[in-house]
Amino acid sequence: MQARDVDYRCGEVNLRGYLALGEGIGKRPGVLVFHEGLGLGEFAMERARRLAGLGYVALAADMFGDRRQASNLQEVATLVGGLRAEPEKLRARGRAALAALAALPEVDVARLAAIGFCFGGSVVLELAREGADLKAVVSFHGVLATKMPAQPGQMKASVLVCTGVDDPLAPPEQLADFENEMRAGGVKDWQVIVYGNALHGFTNPAADGSMMRTALYNEQADRRSWASMKSLFDEVLT
């Protein structure tokens, strides 16, 4: 397996992603990986390597610039809040990562997808909402609310949302609004899977409740949500 840093830009901001791909010949589907609120770190990189092991070209994107990482919830709120307050800027950063992935010679640009965790889950949904050329997006315990709902007929991607029933960042009313948005937008392929006894951050083994009391790893939900992602990708990418 190959792994290396990839620098790309969004306006004046330098972004440093992490690329992982297996050995092989010919073009392969490409998958973006968008990080949690702490920034691009080992968790997202490990998921990129895991995707590479499945035969995809995986680019873990950098949404904050210069691979900046937060060390506490106050920094998370500043970094994430700044982008969520300006959805056009957030989407532009996502588009820059998509362009960087599509420019790689190993990537089949007709077969692109994106996954995201926590904050990254909201990023992939924003890309889908604006009609990005993605076959599928998968949000793992992501925020579902948006300031710019999808317009009818705009979303092209298949959408999979994996969320915890007790996640305070995706409460029942937000989930209901999201489902209504999908219906109103005429999205052809969307699904929501709600995991019982699951809180926020259920995919990350490092989520032990110490930084955020309601963020806790759940091995069963992690394993099942990843399997659901693989099933969707098998259907639309291969």
Side-chain angles (χ1 to χ4, degrees):
M1 180 181 298
Q2 304 177 45
R4 65 178 186 270
D5 291 341
V6 174
D7 287 314
Y8 58 102
R9 299 189 69 81
C10 181
E12 298 301 313
V13 180
N14 183 69
L15 303 160
R16 176 159 293 177
Y18 174 84
L19 177 70
L21 67 160
E23 302 298 332
I25 300 174
K27 293 183 179 291
R28 287 155 276 177
V31 181
L32 287 171
V33 181
F34 287 99
H35 56 73
E36 302 163 296
L38 290 171
L40 176 53
E42 179 56 30
F43 174 71
M45 294 178 187
E46 188 276 332
R47 293 292 169 141
R49 293 192 295 270
R50 194 182 297 189
L51 285 163
L54 296 174
Y56 302 109
V57 178
L59 176 63
D62 173 16
M63 288 294 290
F64 297 156
D66 293 321
R67 200 172 288 175
R68 182 176 177 184
Q69 296 186 54
S71 58
N72 55 57
L73 288 180
Q74 184 176 358
E75 291 181 6
V76 170
T78 299
L79 291 168
V80 171
L83 288 174
R84 287 193 56 80
E86 299 184 68
E88 286 289 2
K89 179 188 290 186
L90 184 151
R91 291 180 177 188
R93 297 267 178 99
R95 287 195 302 270
L98 182 58
L101 177 67
L104 296 170
E106 301 89 352
V107 171
D108 179 354
V109 296
R111 294 185 292 167
L112 300 174
I115 70 173
F117 301 86
C118 180
F119 164 64
S122 65
V123 175
V124 303
L125 293 177
E126 290 298 333
L127 282 175
R129 285 178 172 116
E130 73 167 10
D133 287 325
L134 295 163
K135 291 292 186 183
V137 298
V138 183
S139 170
F140 297 92
H141 46 83
V143 174
L144 306 178
T146 182
K147 293 185 176 183
M148 300 172 65
Q151 297 303 304
Q154 194 167 10
M155 292 179 70
K156 306 171 186 177
S158 297
V159 177
L160 169 60
V161 166
C162 299
T163 189
V165 70
D166 296 319
D167 186 347
L169 299 185
E173 59 271 20
Q174 191 181 108
L175 183 56
D177 288 344
F178 176 78
E179 292 171 349
N180 289 332
E181 180 192 359
M182 295 297 99
R183 294 187 185 99
V187 181
K188 295 180 180 179
D189 180 21
W190 65 276
Q191 55 185 315
V192 175
I193 303 176
V194 181
Y195 297 95
N197 303 311
L199 292 163
H200 188 65
F202 60 77
T203 61
N204 192 337
D208 59 4
S210 59
M211 178 174 288
M212 180 179 174
R213 183 177 56 82
T214 52
L216 197 65
Y217 180 63
N218 183 306
E219 186 277 334
Q220 185 180 72
D222 178 25
R223 172 168 40 82
R224 289 178 173 177
S225 60
W226 190 256
S228 295
M229 178 212 72
K230 289 198 294 183
S231 177
L232 176 61
F233 284 1
D234 286 345
E235 182 179 337
V236 303
L237 292 180
T238 61

